[in-house]
Short mmCIF file of all heavy atoms in Angstrom, two decimals:
data_model
loop_
_atom_site.label_atom_id
_atom_site.label_comp_id
_atom_site.label_asym_id
_atom_site.label_seq_id
_atom_site.Cartn_x
_atom_site.Cartn_y
_atom_site.Cartn_z
N ILE A 52 33.29 7.71 -9.43
CA ILE A 52 33.70 6.34 -9.12
C ILE A 52 34.12 5.61 -10.38
O ILE A 52 35.16 4.94 -10.42
CB ILE A 52 32.54 5.59 -8.41
CG1 ILE A 52 32.34 6.16 -7.00
CG2 ILE A 52 32.81 4.09 -8.36
CD1 ILE A 52 31.13 5.61 -6.28
N ILE A 72 19.70 3.02 8.76
CA ILE A 72 19.60 3.68 10.05
C ILE A 72 20.99 4.08 10.53
O ILE A 72 21.95 3.32 10.40
CB ILE A 72 18.95 2.76 11.09
CG1 ILE A 72 17.50 2.44 10.70
CG2 ILE A 72 18.99 3.37 12.49
CD1 ILE A 72 16.84 1.43 11.62
N GLN A 86 23.39 12.26 16.29
CA GLN A 86 22.95 13.24 15.30
C GLN A 86 21.42 13.32 15.26
O GLN A 86 20.72 12.37 15.58
CB GLN A 86 23.46 12.81 13.92
CG GLN A 86 24.96 12.67 13.83
CD GLN A 86 25.37 12.13 12.48
OE1 GLN A 86 24.71 12.37 11.48
NE2 GLN A 86 26.46 11.38 12.45
N MET A 204 0.87 -11.98 -9.04
CA MET A 204 1.94 -12.05 -10.03
C MET A 204 1.98 -13.43 -10.69
O MET A 204 2.11 -13.54 -11.91
CB MET A 204 3.30 -11.73 -9.39
CG MET A 204 3.52 -10.25 -9.10
SD MET A 204 5.26 -9.82 -8.79
CE MET A 204 5.65 -10.85 -7.38
N GLY A 254 -15.59 -3.04 -0.42
CA GLY A 254 -15.98 -3.08 0.99
C GLY A 254 -14.81 -3.08 1.94
O GLY A 254 -14.87 -3.68 3.01
N ALA A 393 -24.77 15.29 19.21
CA ALA A 393 -25.62 15.82 20.26
C ALA A 393 -26.29 17.14 19.89
O ALA A 393 -27.41 17.43 20.33
CB ALA A 393 -24.80 15.99 21.55
#
Side-chain angles (χ1 to χ4, degrees):
I52 290 173
I72 296 175
Q86 302 175 31
M204 285 196 301

